[in-house]
Amino acid sequence: MKKLTFLFILITSLSFSQYKYENGYYIDNNDTKINCLIKNFDWKFNPNSISIKLNEDSETVVLKVEDIKEFSVLNSWKFIREKVMIDETTNNFQTLQRDPNPVFAEKVLLLKVLVEGKSNLYHYENDNYERFFYSINGKIEQLVYKNYINENKNMVTNESYKQQLFVNFKCNNDQSKILKLNYRENSLTDYFIETNNCISGTNNVEKKKIIKKSKSKSLFSVFTQGNFLNADYVINNSNIRGKYLTNNKVNFSGGLEYEILMPYGNYSWSFVMSANFVSYKDVFNFNDELDVNKTYEIDTKVSIVRFPIGMRKYFSINDFQKLFVNVDCNYNCVTQKIKIANENFDSKNVNFSLDIGAGYKYKKFFTELKYYLPKKTDSESFTNEFNLNHLALKLGYQIF
């Protein structure tokens, strides 16, 4: 319990870590460009405000939409403020309408710039819907995409954005190509880049104007793990019934870890999968309370192959150092052998368990303290419960 409390306090304290301020600029309502530091949240949803500093030592200033005409985190994101007509219909099946036509409302939004050139592509997303906008001659319009319910109560889609592209673009308006376009960032971005290249008659000029897109990143690591183990037994029959706790033991094991960094929050979230092996052996004696000359020797051997799958959250200290926390679900293949006197009780089973961890990463090296929540293992006869208590210290290295 003390170990669990320690890790809970550590995880709670890490949750207050902040994102980094990075070089950028914003343009105010007087069309003045101001270089500054902007807190980069790697926005999945379009922001309603930004936090800036004029330099490292200055105080944080929060600017709202009405204060900003444009802002950019250099080599990353660019947003512009625009008054647009937007269809706010959600994709929730329970609230879908029968009308296939969009219902537009006027909004002032910060739009993310995806492509700049003769034709421009913009993006807006919140927790209810996602929309794309385009412009050719300065006027920004939404590319129409709407789900609705037809007369048969089936969900269908108004994909008028394909017709908009076919009618308004005289270059790169191959109908078969447009019909294959998805209402997704990658698909539309590639099309607008090709369109700009077609208009300009080049193959690379417009690609240089594309604002950097985030992609998932994969990491592969190896690690060694020091395992701090003990066990407790709950015995419900014979004269030695009761709960017994064994001494702490230490063993070492190794494993592999595969991590997918997600393109949100400056790659601060990741999906982690790994594989490792742990074994536990112990021999101890119990005296029969009714017969002082009689003892039971219990010989335990437990082997577990674990396949943890979970989420990791990073908290950046600087460009080389990070703290992180994990929550994992473990798929466990357990082999257990318990020998009491001359009687064997063997079992094999598969179960699931949880673990939590906290760690530190420096460049490609990392260490992690991981606590595995106890998992009860039933034995067929002699014991009702066998709990393997497990705390581990991992040391690892990122190969690529």
Side-chain angles (χ1 to χ4, degrees):
M1 182 58 70
K2 291 181 179 179
K3 299 170 185 175
L4 184 60
T5 302
F6 168 75
L7 285 175
F8 176 78
I9 293 172
L10 182 57
I11 291 172
T12 302
S13 64
L14 287 175
S15 66
F16 293 98
S17 296
Q18 298 181 346
Y19 294 92
K20 292 190 301 182
Y21 282 85
E22 298 183 16
N23 291 323
Y25 70 85
Y26 76 94
I27 298 176
D28 65 17
N29 292 322
N30 297 318
D31 292 324
T32 302
K33 182 177 179 180
I34 301 169
N35 294 318
C36 61
L37 299 171
I38 300 176
K39 186 184 287 188
N40 185 0
F41 287 96
D42 201 15
W43 297 270
K44 173 176 172 55
F45 298 146
N46 293 50
N48 296 315
S49 63
I50 60 172
S51 297
I52 70 160
K53 290 182 176 182
L54 296 180
N55 55 62
E56 290 284 358
D57 300 323
S58 64
E59 294 184 356
T60 297
V61 177
V62 177
L63 301 177
K64 298 182 179 180
V65 174
E66 54 267 27
D67 304 317
I68 313 162
K69 295 186 71 173
E70 176 181 315
F71 82 88
S72 174
V73 178
L74 299 186
N75 301 316
S76 184
W77 306 115
K78 178 180 177 180
F79 290 83
I80 61 171
R81 185 185 70 196
E82 292 290 339
K83 182 184 290 185
V84 295
M85 302 299 292
I86 185 171
D87 174 27
E88 298 184 287
T89 306
T90 69
N91 291 326
N92 187 337
F93 187 82
Q94 302 298 324
T95 60
L96 287 182
Q97 305 168 350
R98 292 185 178 273
D99 185 0
N101 298 310
V103 180
F104 289 111
E106 186 177 81
K107 296 282 185 179
V108 177
L109 305 171
L110 285 171
L111 301 178
K112 181 168 66 175
V113 180
L114 297 180
V115 179
E116 289 182 306
K118 296 293 184 181
S119 60
N120 303 309
L121 178 66
Y122 310 96
H123 178 253
Y124 179 81
E125 184 177 2
N126 59 28
D127 55 358
N128 292 316
Y129 56 83
E130 180 181 30
R131 298 290 183 264
F132 292 92
F133 296 80
Y134 78 107
S135 68
I136 301 176
N137 298 313
K139 183 180 179 181
I140 297 179
E141 296 183 10
Q142 181 191 313
L143 290 168
V144 175
Y145 177 94
K146 179 182 178 180
N147 291 323
Y148 64 97
I149 301 295
N150 65 12
E151 62 274 7
N152 297 320
K153 297 183 178 181
N154 296 319
M155 187 176 73
V156 290
T157 304
N158 174 356
E159 296 185 330
S160 295
Y161 69 94
K162 296 178 180 179
Q163 183 179 5
Q164 290 173 277
L165 298 177
F166 181 76
V167 170
N168 289 287
F169 291 159
K170 302 305 179 184
C171 198
N172 195 35
N173 68 340
D174 181 86
Q175 187 174 15
S176 61
K177 179 184 295 185
I178 292 176
L179 288 174
K180 295 178 182 178
L181 288 177
N182 296 317
Y183 201 75
R184 296 288 184 270
E185 181 174 328
N186 288 340
S187 181
L188 291 173
T189 296
D190 290 342
Y191 175 78
F192 271 74
I193 290 174
E194 291 176 4
T195 300
N196 283 337
N197 289 336
C198 177
I199 295 172
S200 64
T202 64
N203 292 322
N204 57 13
V205 172
E206 300 304 329
K207 287 189 177 182
K208 294 180 181 178
K209 296 183 180 180
I210 179 71
I211 300 300
K212 185 183 72 175
K213 297 184 292 180
S214 291
K215 297 181 180 180
S216 298
K217 300 177 181 179
S218 296
L219 306 177
F220 189 79
S221 304
V222 295
F223 64 86
T224 183
Q225 181 169 297
N227 302 291
F228 306 90
L229 305 153
N230 66 0
D232 60 69
Y233 295 79
V234 177
I235 301 175
N236 288 328
N237 61 347
S238 84
N239 295 322
I240 59 170
R241 61 171 52 90
K243 183 174 182 178
Y244 300 90
L245 185 67
T246 66
N247 294 324
N248 291 322
K249 290 183 176 294
V250 178
N251 67 23
F252 294 91
S253 60
L256 303 173
E257 181 176 280
Y258 178 65
E259 182 177 6
I260 303 174
L261 292 171
M262 307 305 295
Y264 310 119
N266 282 329
Y267 293 97
S268 63
W269 289 94
S270 67
F271 179 70
V272 182
M273 298 173 286
S274 61
N276 62 78
F277 172 81
V278 63
S279 63
Y280 174 81
K281 297 180 181 180
D282 204 357
V283 179
F284 53 98
N285 297 321
F286 290 123
N287 293 319
D288 189 332
E289 292 182 354
L290 300 181
D291 187 350
V292 295
N293 294 319
K294 186 176 182 179
T295 61
Y296 289 89
E297 182 182 78
I298 300 181
D299 187 346
T300 300
K301 296 179 181 179
V302 180
S303 299
I304 303 175
V305 179
R306 281 199 171 105
F307 300 96
I309 300 175
M311 295 298 297
R312 176 173 292 167
K313 170 64 175 174
Y314 283 101
F315 304 90
S316 180
I317 300 173
N318 53 44
D319 291 339
F320 304 108
Q321 301 180 81
K322 297 178 181 179
L323 300 174
F324 62 87
V325 293
N326 284 359
V327 177
D328 302 305
C329 178
N330 296 278
Y331 178 81
N332 305 305
C333 301
V334 183
T335 301
Q336 177 179 308
K337 296 182 179 182
I338 298 179
K339 182 177 181 181
I340 303 169
N342 294 319
E343 195 170 358
N344 295 317
F345 302 94
D346 298 346
S347 65
K348 293 183 179 180
N349 65 81
V350 173
N351 59 50
F352 295 89
S353 63
L354 296 175
D355 71 68
I356 58 175
Y360 167 79
K361 185 174 184 179
Y362 177 75
K363 294 184 178 179
K364 291 190 174 185
F365 296 91
F366 68 90
T367 182
E368 179 186 0
L369 184 63
K370 185 180 288 288
Y371 177 69
Y372 295 85
L373 277 66
K375 178 67 178 179
K376 181 177 73 173
T377 302
D378 294 330
S379 182
E380 295 180 356
S381 57
F382 188 74
T383 65
N384 273 358
E385 294 181 20
F386 172 84
N387 292 319
L388 186 64
N389 307 307
H390 186 186
L391 181 69
L393 180 64
K394 291 173 59 177
L395 298 173
Y397 180 77
Q398 176 189 322
I399 300 176
F400 58 83

